[in-house]
Amino acid sequence: QTAMANPHAAIIYNTPDGQRFEYPRQTKQMPFIPVEIKPHPYGVELGLLYKMARESNARNLSAFLQNDFSRISHKIADEICKKANISKNTKPADISIKEAEAIHNAINETKIMAPPVNCIGPIGESELEKGLKRVVEAEFYAVCSRKPAVYRGNPFLIEAALAYGFKTDQPQDSDDPDKQPQLELKRFANRVPLLYQQSACAIHKAVVETNWRNYGLSQSKGALPMGPVVLMIHMASVWVPFTSESKEAIAHYPEIIKEIRLAIQECGRLLGMYLRRQKRIKMEMAKRGYIETYLPFIGEALKEILVLKDEQVKTVVSRLKEVLENTRQI
């Protein structure tokens, strides 16, 4: 899993029983060093906003919003003050808790640009696909990288990669859900794999709550879908909200679950298109087999009924085949 999330690194693992696993480097592009930014106003809790205002050295409220938060310009700061019905010249250290609540509500009602992506270290769609391909050999791959979002003032970014049709000992072509393997979920936080407490993680919750039937996979209620699928979810953030000190599961923040679900749905739509296309091709091949199997018998029957010559039979069969194939394409 470390090799999946770090395609820039060449990894060689010698197991205690003498086996050797090699994962050669897939890209020469090294991960960039994230840049420190100020808190984004979206997701900042009321108590933190009030504390920041009381401790700020800014001369007025407009300057406080511009200097202590990212993505707030002079125009947006004035708009927030106007919506909160507070003078922009008010000293931030003098605002009351009610005024702080009004500012907090005004921030959520104002359209503010998403936080910059250079403060976090995403893997990238191209690198994510390369990392997944060097570990999982499959028929189809789908990758999605979401735009940065915010929870509690902390920017984060969700990436998802999906591999369908990987090699397994269980039958993949069976229509019986009981004979299908269960989806393999790989969870990552800042390129580090999360190995334990899967059911307690927000990633697992988002995957289970997604309706995978829309994408051609069978799924029982409250369980992972069935199918030869490897799903990789990566969360990049300046502060990952782990549920405990063991750092094995991500907390169930609504903003995080929403972004994970949207990334899954985007990959799922691509998977659904692929599966429907494969099903359509399979049906067309079966229909073509029927045409090639039964047309000679139809030609012989027409020859006996209409007393046709061999050349006429060939012409009729050829034209009938063209008509059937055109009908199949329509």
Side-chain angles (χ1 to χ4, degrees), residues 16 19 191 209 264 293 297:
Q19 296 186 49
R191 298 177 180 265
E209 291 180 351
I264 293 171
T293 301
F297 298 100

PDB file of all heavy atoms in Angstrom, residues 16 19 191 209 264 293 297:
ATOM      1  N   PRO A  16      10.701 -12.073   5.675  1.00  0.00           N
ATOM      2  CA  PRO A  16      11.450 -13.015   6.524  1.00  0.00           C
ATOM      3  C   PRO A  16      11.534 -14.421   5.945  1.00  0.00           C
ATOM      4  O   PRO A  16      12.489 -15.154   6.249  1.00  0.00           O
ATOM      5  CB  PRO A  16      10.657 -13.004   7.834  1.00  0.00           C
ATOM      6  CG  PRO A  16       9.949 -11.693   7.843  1.00  0.00           C
ATOM      7  CD  PRO A  16       9.630 -11.401   6.415  1.00  0.00           C
ATOM      8  N   GLN A  19      11.072 -14.241   0.447  1.00  0.00           N
ATOM      9  CA  GLN A  19      10.473 -13.666  -0.751  1.00  0.00           C
ATOM     10  C   GLN A  19      10.965 -12.236  -0.955  1.00  0.00           C
ATOM     11  O   GLN A  19      11.355 -11.552  -0.010  1.00  0.00           O
ATOM     12  CB  GLN A  19       8.943 -13.682  -0.656  1.00  0.00           C
ATOM     13  CG  GLN A  19       8.339 -15.071  -0.591  1.00  0.00           C
ATOM     14  CD  GLN A  19       6.826 -15.018  -0.648  1.00  0.00           C
ATOM     15  OE1 GLN A  19       6.242 -14.352  -1.507  1.00  0.00           O
ATOM     16  NE2 GLN A  19       6.180 -15.725   0.271  1.00  0.00           N
ATOM     17  N   ARG A 191      -0.517  10.096   2.332  1.00  0.00           N
ATOM     18  CA  ARG A 191       0.310   9.048   1.723  1.00  0.00           C
ATOM     19  C   ARG A 191       0.623   7.871   2.653  1.00  0.00           C
ATOM     20  O   ARG A 191       1.341   6.945   2.270  1.00  0.00           O
ATOM     21  CB  ARG A 191       1.635   9.626   1.188  1.00  0.00           C
ATOM     22  CG  ARG A 191       1.459  10.659   0.088  1.00  0.00           C
ATOM     23  CD  ARG A 191       2.805  11.230  -0.314  1.00  0.00           C
ATOM     24  NE  ARG A 191       2.659  12.225  -1.376  1.00  0.00           N
ATOM     25  CZ  ARG A 191       2.799  11.957  -2.670  1.00  0.00           C
ATOM     26  NH1 ARG A 191       3.073  10.737  -3.070  1.00  0.00           N
ATOM     27  NH2 ARG A 191       2.670  12.922  -3.586  1.00  0.00           N
ATOM     28  N   GLU A 209     -22.226   3.795   2.396  1.00  0.00           N
ATOM     29  CA  GLU A 209     -23.435   4.580   2.145  1.00  0.00           C
ATOM     30  C   GLU A 209     -23.639   4.899   0.673  1.00  0.00           C
ATOM     31  O   GLU A 209     -24.689   5.381   0.278  1.00  0.00           O
ATOM     32  CB  GLU A 209     -23.385   5.880   2.949  1.00  0.00           C
ATOM     33  CG  GLU A 209     -23.519   5.670   4.448  1.00  0.00           C
ATOM     34  CD  GLU A 209     -23.477   6.968   5.218  1.00  0.00           C
ATOM     35  OE1 GLU A 209     -23.168   8.018   4.592  1.00  0.00           O
ATOM     36  OE2 GLU A 209     -23.764   6.956   6.429  1.00  0.00           O
ATOM     37  N   ILE A 264     -15.993   9.075  -4.841  1.00  0.00           N
ATOM     38  CA  ILE A 264     -16.391   7.692  -5.146  1.00  0.00           C
ATOM     39  C   ILE A 264     -17.401   7.672  -6.281  1.00  0.00           C
ATOM     40  O   ILE A 264     -17.326   6.844  -7.196  1.00  0.00           O
ATOM     41  CB  ILE A 264     -16.967   7.017  -3.887  1.00  0.00           C
ATOM     42  CG1 ILE A 264     -15.877   6.827  -2.835  1.00  0.00           C
ATOM     43  CG2 ILE A 264     -17.595   5.670  -4.236  1.00  0.00           C
ATOM     44  CD1 ILE A 264     -16.405   6.371  -1.488  1.00  0.00           C
ATOM     45  N   THR A 293     -24.220 -18.705 -36.842  1.00  0.00           N
ATOM     46  CA  THR A 293     -24.591 -20.110 -36.647  1.00  0.00           C
ATOM     47  C   THR A 293     -25.805 -20.498 -37.492  1.00  0.00           C
ATOM     48  O   THR A 293     -25.826 -21.565 -38.132  1.00  0.00           O
ATOM     49  CB  THR A 293     -24.883 -20.377 -35.165  1.00  0.00           C
ATOM     50  OG1 THR A 293     -23.712 -20.073 -34.398  1.00  0.00           O
ATOM     51  CG2 THR A 293     -25.276 -21.842 -34.941  1.00  0.00           C
ATOM     52  N   PHE A 297     -28.197 -22.344 -42.271  1.00  0.00           N
ATOM     53  CA  PHE A 297     -29.411 -23.174 -42.291  1.00  0.00           C
ATOM     54  C   PHE A 297     -30.578 -22.437 -42.946  1.00  0.00           C
ATOM     55  O   PHE A 297     -31.390 -23.025 -43.644  1.00  0.00           O
ATOM     56  CB  PHE A 297     -29.782 -23.585 -40.865  1.00  0.00           C
ATOM     57  CG  PHE A 297     -28.738 -24.431 -40.192  1.00  0.00           C
ATOM     58  CD1 PHE A 297     -27.843 -23.877 -39.291  1.00  0.00           C
ATOM     59  CD2 PHE A 297     -28.628 -25.781 -40.480  1.00  0.00           C
ATOM     60  CE1 PHE A 297     -26.873 -24.649 -38.681  1.00  0.00           C
ATOM     61  CE2 PHE A 297     -27.661 -26.570 -39.868  1.00  0.00           C
ATOM     62  CZ  PHE A 297     -26.783 -26.010 -38.971  1.00  0.00           C
TER      63      PHE A 297
END
